[in-house]
């Protein structure tokens, strides 16, 4: 079973995505185990302090190294982790290839930053991998961590009902997925492409492939480089 430990100053911000739909089912099926850790519980001083002003001056608090190290050391004492990931905008951007790799790699620790981020020494000495979810800045690493977990968990065999479903999603085969339709067949003068109603599996497959190529050329031409 894959175990993911998420460390955050605001664990309540991250819990709800794990309480619904596909991810919830994966947890219930014991395919994945998620543990949330409140950084305050690992603070060294009596005031439960986890952040402080930055040296050199400037606005924004910085998460301190001590509570982070305390938490990660405790986790590492009990099991082996494949990666200790820090969610941060100034890192390589998450893609399907990274999600695939992490879905088969082993246990993960995910550290969520907040405010100005974490003390650089955490990144230099403790973190083994850094991931961004895009070139924009959010208030905390909680939503990015949820995005990362979702992208990983849905790829684990047994999580999606139809095993081939993840394989036919966009990016999985270096292509954007073809369009999909469902009932009603006609709506407001818009009808479903006839071929999908033909029952001819071979022709439908060919049509889907053509559409995938067409859409990829248009939306992500770089995939053909
Ligand atoms: N001062 C930092 C930004 C801090 S944002 C900088 O200029 O780079 C606060 C926290 O939100 C970060 O520590 C990180 O954990 C998270 N975060 C914000 N945007 C993110 C993104 N695009 N991807 C991943 N994590 C992000």
């Amino acid at each position: 079973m894959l175990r993911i430990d998420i460390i955050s100053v605001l664990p309540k911000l991250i819990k709800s995505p794990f309480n619904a739909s596909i991810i919830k089912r994966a947890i219930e099926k014991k395919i994945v185990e998620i543990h949330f850790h409140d950084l305050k519980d690992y603070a060294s001083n009596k005031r439960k302090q986890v952040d402080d002003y930055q040296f050199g001056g400037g606005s924004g608090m910085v998460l301190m190294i001590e509570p982070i190290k305390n938490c990660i050391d405790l986790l590492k004492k009990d099991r082996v982790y494949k990666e200790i990931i820090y969610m941060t905008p100034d890192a390589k951007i998450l893609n399907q290839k990274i999600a695939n790799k992490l879905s088969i790699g082993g246990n993960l620790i995910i550290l969520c930053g907040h405010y100005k981020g974490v003390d650089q020494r955490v990144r230099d000495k403790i973190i083994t991998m850094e991931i961004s979810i895009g070139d924009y800045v959010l208030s905390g690493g909680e939503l990015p961590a949820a995005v990362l977990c979702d992208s990983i968990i849905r790829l684990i065999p047994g999580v999606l009902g139809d095993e081939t479903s993840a394989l036919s999603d966009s990016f999985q085969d270096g292509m954007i997925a073809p369009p999909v339709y469902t009932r009603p067949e006609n709506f407001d003068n818009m009808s479903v492409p006839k071929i999908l109603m033909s029952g001819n599996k071979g022709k439908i497959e060919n049509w889907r492939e053509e559409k995938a190529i067409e859409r990829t050329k248009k939306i992500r031409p770089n995939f053909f480089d």
Side-chain angles (χ1 to χ4, degrees), residues 86-90 111-118 123 131-142 144:
Y86 174 49
M87 304 310 301
T88 180
D90 55 349
L111 173 65
C112 307
H114 223 87
Y115 318 114
K116 260 298 179 212
V118 300
R123 302 175 67 172
I131 299 177
S132 164
I133 63 160
D135 284 347
Y136 42 84
V137 177
L138 300 166
S139 323
E142 287 75 15

Side-chain angles (χ1 to χ4, degrees), residues 2 4 82-83 85 87 92-106 108 110 129-133 144-157 166 169-172:
L2 172 67
I4 304 177
K82 178 70 186 165
E83 299 285 0
I85 301 168
M87 304 310 301
K92 198 175 165 190
I93 296 175
L94 177 64
N95 59 32
Q96 197 66 16
K97 202 169 150 193
I98 296 172
N100 274 314
K101 216 169 139 196
L102 292 175
S103 76
I104 51 171
L108 303 170
I110 303 177
M129 186 181 195
E130 297 188 327
I131 299 177
S132 164
I133 63 160
V147 168
L148 174 64
C149 287
D150 189 323
S151 75
I152 295 170
I153 293 168
R154 65 195 302 286
L155 290 169
I156 304 170
D169 282 334
S170 290
F171 311 114
Q172 200 59 24

Side-chain angles (χ1 to χ4, degrees), residues 184-216:
E185 192 182 334
N186 294 297
F187 181 77
D188 261 0
N189 285 326
M190 294 181 289
S191 52
V192 169
K194 284 276 164 293
I195 189 114
L196 294 178
M197 314 306 290
S198 69
N200 186 326
K201 281 217 161 96
K203 277 195 174 158
I204 292 173
E205 217 27 69
N206 287 341
W207 180 86
R208 284 183 171 153
E209 215 174 295
E210 269 169 37
K211 286 289 163 193
I213 293 170
E214 203 177 283
R215 298 189 75 219
T216 309

Side-chain angles (χ1 to χ4, degrees), residues 51-66:
D51 56 13
D52 211 335
Y53 296 102
Q54 56 175 314
F55 282 128
S59 64
M61 303 300 275
V62 176
L63 296 186
M64 299 156 78
I65 189 168
E66 263 187 290

Side-chain angles (χ1 to χ4, degrees), residues 22 96 154-155 159-170 172 177:
I22 293 168
Q96 197 66 16
R154 65 195 302 286
L155 290 169
V159 171
L160 294 181
D162 175 0
E163 287 266 349
T164 60
S165 183
L167 296 176
S168 63
D169 282 334
S170 290
Q172 200 59 24

